[in-house]
Amino acid sequence: MLFNSLTFLVFLPVVFCIYWFVLHKNLLARNAFILIASYVFYGWWDWRFLGLIAFSTLVDYAIARSIDSSESQNRRKLLLLVSLVINLGLLGFFKYYNFFVDSWVEAFSSLGITMHTSTLNIILPVGISFYTFQTLSYTIDVYRGNLKASSNFIDFAAYVAFFPQLVAGPIERAINLLPQFASLKKFDEQQAISGINLILWGLFQKVVIADSCATYVNSIFDNYESMNSLSLILGAFYFAFQIYGDFAGYSNIAIGTARLLGFDLMRNFNYPYFSRDMAEFWRRWHISLSTWFRDYLYIPLGGSRGTKWMQLRNVLIIFMVSGFWHGANWTFVFWGLLHALFFIPMLLSAKNRNHLDQVAQNRLLPSIKELFQMIFTFGLATIAWVFFRAATIKEAFSYLKSIFTDVNFSVQYLNIERYSIEMLLIIFIFVLYEWFHREFEHPFHGRFKWIKIASVILMLLTLGVYSDHQDFIYFQF
Amino acid sequence: MGGFLKHVLFIITLILIGALVLHCTYDFIFTHTSARDKLQLALKQKQPYVDYVFLGSSRVENYIDCETIEAITGKSCRNYALSGGSYQDAYVLLKLLKKQGLTYGHLFIQLDTGMKNEQMTTAFKASLIPLIDYYEIKIENVDLSLSWSERYVPFYKYAEYDYLYGIRACFAQLYKNQEDNVKLGYHSKNYVGNTNASTISDLVFSNKFIELTQEEAKKDNAKIHFYTSPYCVDMKNTELFNQFKLYYPGYINYANFYSEPAYFANCTHMNHQGAQIFTRQIVKDFNL
């Protein structure tokens, strides 16, 4: 079920009413209802993969219980290893099997050896990367002693399958979300209002910004060989906003939906395009994944301790694994590598924690220096996005090369019967909205709150893409 | 809970008011401005007698230059082909034109792989939707009923087809009035493009709406002509079109008539240069 579908528009109020008005006295019934609703939400897409979530839930529930009750460190370690093998094994099979087979065959054929093998027709279960990481973090936290294993299977199953964040995050930690299933919630009006506002803002980001940009991006990237420099720059620029609007929009709807049911999820985006350097960008982009890798990979590898070489190795590993997490394609690995290369100079010069505050804090406008820093950081991120969007690394290089070799900056009429520059005004308005509300989660604050809400609704109606609505990009990861 | 419900209610009210205002505004714009496309032209203007009427898809719209035909023959000509249009679209358009008084001497139908499609295209339906109720459009054999949501949910019909009939179309309707451009109906492609070829397959030889169009022409005592527009020389299996001769008397197959890539914008569409040559060929072969 998609957040931007009519089905969800019916589903959410029904769930909300049953949750708050029918099951308001019984915690177990509420959690069981969330579990059922979550399975319906997921099963709407493809019920066959419900078994996979149920299996993952059962395995991690049982293993975590065993870890918790075990006195032997070796046994605990072995149980953790079993959990890792099962979870990563499932992820590896469904997401990476064909990729590894293809890469293997290609590697051998480049050596002149022909391999006869076949790939499988594997459908990638939506959200597998997200819920696998979520269950993994639970088992690891129990192993580390940071968390008691859950003794309530319904609570745990509801935590794993919690529908607002099941298919595309935020990747919630058990330590934050699981305890929220243990208490009977009272309706919090302010929390619910902020939830509705976040949903509205998330819809705007998805339906107006991301989906409108998608039309231009697809036209430009699919025909990049016939595009001039300006169109190619705009294509990359639009994709930067498409992926941001798409994913931040999804996260905001997810967080808002959870709030309607009385749950607090972690923030996933904090205005990443207002970052002054790449380190700051990664503290603001897909925060739940960045912190996951930090806590469960980077720090266990040694983090920023040890020699410079060790630090470099750790940064390279974390960024490339992060890239690979996004998809079974070398383009994602290269995207991760590029970000590592952007990040390493800051690490070496110990400047990676220079910008921990909000840009232009307590000021209306940024300084010239800050403005240039933001543009430079956005430019680097956009170059990397070309590799993220392109079908192959070669295509991405060819795309970037054409920008510099074509040197034609005239406005092109695209095959979608629109001029290449038409999206700029909408993006400009969006950036202004974000800039003036960067201290908040969404723009609906202050004296003119209702005017802002009304204008966003008007833009949703007039500029939203409904006839050709797109899946959320992060569903494929 | 009270404050929350008020908040939600207020947002819903804003959405409804916004939808209603936009619905009325869009309706007004589409019905009260002058014609911007061929369908609107068929609905908003009285139609004259025309000697030569061409119907079809972009493989007619981009191929037949009525100005050239009028200059050569001294007779009137209209290219009512719709880019991306189906045979049902063409039939509906002909019926609407007739309702506005169109009479004609010759009707030209282009036959190709589109024969297998008997549906109305989304683009044509989208362009009809704002106008169906206002102009009380009803056509035999064609389902033009609006769904419940299209009729009663404010703005739904525009959101449903936002890509085609959204805010851009509204502004275009207001500020880019193309009445003059659509009068004779020829739209040229002014470039030489990539002629990546494919293969003709799954050809069918009958289409319900071609039959209905034939009946219309018969009723109107007009002469009907059939042909297939040229493809680039690399298109394979074009000889299959010759079988149309068995079903459509007087049919001419131009599919593989031109070998010069410079005449094509892509393999299925001629450019302006090609269209000029092809239009003259039509005048000659059909003795216009």
Side-chain angles (χ1 to χ4, degrees):
Chain A
M1 202 181 293
L2 292 169
F3 281 162
N4 56 334
S5 67
L6 284 176
T7 325
F8 187 71
L9 196 67
V10 175
F11 174 82
L12 183 59
V14 170
V15 169
F16 179 86
C17 291
I18 295 174
Y19 184 82
W20 288 113
F21 299 123
V22 181
L23 305 170
H24 57 290
K25 284 181 184 158
N26 189 326
L27 178 65
L28 182 68
R30 264 191 178 176
N31 290 344
F33 174 67
I34 285 187
L35 180 61
I36 293 165
S38 300
Y39 273 54
V40 169
F41 178 87
Y42 191 86
W44 210 269
W45 168 72
D46 194 332
W47 59 269
R48 290 172 301 171
F49 294 116
L50 285 173
L52 210 58
I53 300 179
F55 176 70
S56 194
T57 307
L58 270 170
V59 164
D60 282 290
Y61 177 76
I63 288 179
R65 298 267 299 163
S66 302
I67 290 174
D68 214 15
S69 60
S70 174
E71 297 290 322
S72 154
Q73 186 57 23
N74 283 344
R75 187 175 142 77
R76 287 163 64 85
K77 217 174 239 177
L78 184 71
L79 285 164
L80 177 67
L81 195 67
V82 171
S83 168
L84 289 173
V85 168
I86 292 175
N87 281 298
L88 294 176
L90 283 175
L91 183 63
F93 174 74
F94 280 100
K95 191 163 175 173
Y96 300 107
Y97 175 84
N98 283 343
F99 169 75
F100 281 124
V101 170
D102 286 341
S103 301
W104 194 250
V105 171
E106 266 176 44
F108 273 93
S109 70
S110 67
L111 297 172
I113 305 165
T114 309
M115 298 266 295
H116 294 288
T117 183
S118 61
T119 52
L120 301 176
N121 185 21
I122 300 169
I123 303 169
L124 180 67
V126 165
I128 191 170
S129 309
F130 291 89
Y131 67 74
T132 301
F133 270 40
Q134 191 154 307
T135 51
L136 271 181
S137 75
Y138 166 73
T139 318
I140 296 169
D141 279 346
V142 171
Y143 170 79
R144 286 175 177 174
N146 296 337
L147 182 72
K148 287 287 291 174
S150 173
S151 56
N152 186 324
F153 181 71
I154 299 290
D155 284 10
F156 179 70
Y159 152 73
V160 175
F162 189 45
F163 74 87
Q165 43 83 255
L166 172 61
V167 291
I171 303 167
E172 247 336 312
R173 308 296 176 78
I175 220 159
N176 172 41
L177 186 56
L178 196 52
Q180 295 187 51
F181 284 92
S183 59
L184 194 65
K185 294 176 193 320
K186 288 218 162 61
F187 186 79
D188 180 339
E189 198 166 87
Q190 286 314 310
Q191 187 190 33
I193 289 174
S194 73
I196 282 285
N197 288 341
L198 263 179
I199 290 174
L200 189 64
W201 184 239
L203 271 176
F204 175 79
Q205 289 176 307
K206 165 65 181 162
V207 176
V208 176
I209 301 302
D211 289 353
S212 301
C213 281
T215 311
Y216 294 83
V217 169
N218 294 342
S219 171
I220 293 169
F221 270 83
D222 292 349
N223 302 289
Y224 76 94
E225 283 161 326
S226 59
M227 292 289 141
N228 68 22
S229 293
L230 178 66
S231 296
L232 293 169
I233 290 169
L234 287 172
F237 177 79
Y238 292 152
F239 183 66
F241 280 93
Q242 181 196 347
I243 194 155
Y244 172 55
D246 192 280
F247 196 21
Y250 186 93
S251 296
N252 282 332
I253 300 171
I255 296 166
T257 305
R259 282 187 193 171
L260 289 181
L261 301 174
F263 290 86
D264 273 317
L265 301 182
M266 71 184 294
R267 196 170 181 182
N268 216 13
F269 288 84
N270 186 9
Y271 304 104
Y273 291 153
F274 298 144
S275 303
R276 288 153 288 182
D277 60 45
M278 267 300 162
E280 189 184 10
F281 176 84
W282 278 106
R283 284 191 293 273
R284 293 170 177 276
W285 179 275
H286 203 173
I287 299 165
S288 65
L289 182 72
S290 315
T291 51
W292 197 100
F293 277 121
R294 182 196 65 200
D295 294 345
Y296 299 108
L297 187 62
Y298 184 65
I299 291 174
L301 281 171
S304 55
R305 287 164 299 173
T307 63
K308 283 286 174 203
W309 284 115
M310 291 271 282
Q311 290 178 29
L312 282 181
R313 183 203 66 179
N314 296 344
V315 167
L316 275 173
I317 288 174
I318 195 173
F319 273 106
M320 286 172 75
V321 171
S322 164
F324 199 48
W325 174 90
H326 282 87
N329 193 329
W330 289 111
T331 51
F332 295 117
V333 180
F334 196 85
W335 170 78
L337 177 69
L338 260 185
H339 273 281
L341 296 177
F342 295 153
F343 186 84
I344 284 168
M346 284 184 298
L347 183 77
L348 293 176
S349 55
K351 286 180 177 170
N352 54 318
R353 299 188 68 78
N354 266 7
H355 299 116
L356 297 174
D357 58 344
Q358 188 68 260
V359 63
Q361 203 147 22
N362 305 321
R363 280 180 284 133
L364 188 66
L365 296 172
S367 64
I368 298 289
K369 183 185 170 193
E370 285 168 335
L371 184 67
F372 276 107
Q373 285 173 330
M374 285 189 288
I375 291 171
F376 182 68
T377 307
F378 176 76
L380 290 182
T382 304
I383 290 170
W385 285 134
V386 172
F387 289 88
F388 198 93
R389 173 61 177 76
T392 60
I393 293 176
K394 194 179 162 197
E395 185 183 303
F397 273 115
S398 175
Y399 186 104
L400 290 170
K401 188 183 160 203
S402 298
I403 292 178
F404 297 104
T405 52
D406 180 77
V407 204
N408 179 352
F409 292 91
S410 59
V411 176
Q412 266 185 305
Y413 195 62
L414 307 176
N415 65 354
I416 49 171
E417 298 182 352
R418 296 175 179 199
Y419 289 100
S420 57
I421 56 166
E422 281 185 36
M423 263 307 288
L424 287 177
L425 180 64
I426 299 174
I427 290 179
F428 180 67
I429 293 168
F430 174 62
V431 172
L432 285 185
Y433 258 94
E434 290 228 313
W435 175 259
F436 290 114
H437 301 92
R438 64 193 184 285
E439 308 281 344
F440 307 100
E441 289 178 304
H442 56 76
F444 310 131
H445 293 273
R447 260 197 313 166
F448 302 110
K449 178 176 86 175
W450 283 106
I451 293 176
K452 287 181 243 174
I453 288 178
S455 65
V456 162
I457 287 172
L458 195 69
M459 284 193 276
L460 262 171
L461 288 169
T462 51
L463 303 172
V465 176
Y466 300 99
S467 55
D468 186 24
H469 77 173
Q470 318 261 333
D471 278 0
F472 287 89
I473 294 176
Y474 267 67
F475 276 18
Q476 64 186 291
F477 309 137
Chain B
M1 185 66 95
F4 169 73
L5 289 178
K6 247 190 252 174
H7 187 85
V8 173
L9 208 67
F10 206 39
I11 287 179
I12 292 172
T13 310
L14 279 176
I15 292 172
L16 285 178
I17 292 172
L20 204 65
V21 169
L22 287 170
H23 183 100
C24 296
T25 311
Y26 280 34
D27 268 356
F28 185 84
I29 291 171
F30 286 120
T31 52
H32 287 77
T33 49
S34 49
R36 193 182 125 241
D37 56 35
K38 289 170 185 170
L39 174 68
Q40 291 183 17
L41 201 71
L43 289 164
K44 293 178 177 178
Q45 284 185 12
K46 287 278 160 222
Q47 299 296 323
Y49 169 81
V50 178
D51 290 298
Y52 307 121
V53 168
F54 287 81
L55 293 177
S57 63
S58 55
R59 287 179 35 78
V60 177
E61 188 179 47
N62 304 146
Y63 282 69
I64 304 294
D65 185 355
C66 273
E67 261 188 89
T68 304
I69 292 178
E70 289 190 347
I72 297 171
T73 64
K75 292 183 176 169
S76 57
C77 171
R78 293 288 183 277
N79 182 337
Y80 285 121
L82 303 160
S83 181
S86 69
Y87 292 104
Q88 182 176 163
D89 301 351
Y91 172 71
V92 171
L93 186 66
L94 180 68
K95 293 287 279 185
L96 295 174
L97 287 162
K98 280 177 62 182
K99 267 191 188 166
Q100 290 288 73
L102 176 82
T103 50
Y104 51 98
H106 296 257
L107 184 64
F108 291 80
I109 309 281
Q110 198 271 144
L111 308 176
D112 60 22
T113 50
M115 294 277 283
K116 56 179 173 270
N117 178 18
E118 293 196 336
Q119 307 297 312
M120 184 179 282
T121 60
T122 309
F124 191 71
K125 185 165 186 210
S127 55
L128 263 177
I129 270 187
L131 312 165
I132 287 175
D133 279 352
Y134 185 80
Y135 289 100
E136 295 173 358
I137 303 171
K138 278 187 191 124
I139 291 171
E140 236 177 280
N141 300 306
V142 178
D143 177 18
L144 288 174
S145 55
L146 296 179
S147 68
W148 187 89
S149 313
E150 285 166 351
R151 174 151 289 140
Y152 298 111
V153 179
F155 202 63
Y156 182 91
K157 63 183 181 187
Y158 293 111
E160 191 184 10
Y161 298 105
D162 60 65
Y163 188 78
L164 297 155
Y165 258 60
I167 194 160
R168 293 180 81 261
C170 261
F171 274 101
Q173 188 79 27
L174 285 172
Y175 298 111
K176 281 199 268 175
N177 203 312
Q178 296 182 352
E179 190 185 342
D180 291 339
N181 295 340
V182 295
K183 261 184 183 162
L184 296 182
Y186 165 64
H187 282 193
S188 61
K189 287 190 182 292
N190 295 312
Y191 53 89
V192 177
N194 192 346
T195 55
N196 281 338
S198 57
T199 304
I200 303 295
S201 59
D202 301 330
L203 203 59
V204 297
F205 300 98
S206 70
N207 181 297
K208 179 184 166 188
F209 290 96
I210 291 182
E211 285 164 25
L212 289 170
T213 309
Q214 278 178 290
E215 283 171 26
E216 286 302 312
K218 203 172 168 186
K219 266 191 266 174
D220 299 335
N221 293 321
K223 200 164 179 209
I224 191 158
H225 308 277
F226 297 98
Y227 68 97
T228 294
S229 292
Y231 288 92
C232 74
V233 74
D234 297 327
M235 181 65 85
K236 294 176 183 70
N237 282 356
T238 49
E239 66 283 356
L240 283 179
F241 290 122
N242 289 330
Q243 294 179 56
F244 279 132
K245 286 176 185 164
L246 302 173
Y247 305 89
Y248 301 98
Y251 165 84
I252 300 178
N253 180 8
Y254 294 103
N256 222 348
F257 208 75
Y258 300 101
S259 58
E260 182 54 65
Y263 294 163
F264 288 87
N266 56 50
C267 199
T268 49
H269 296 93
M270 287 187 120
N271 58 23
H272 181 64
Q273 192 190 353
Q276 292 307 311
I277 292 164
F278 179 61
T279 300
R280 286 178 161 78
Q281 190 69 41
I282 286 276
V283 170
K284 185 180 154 205
D285 292 346
F286 288 98
N287 295 319
L288 306 188

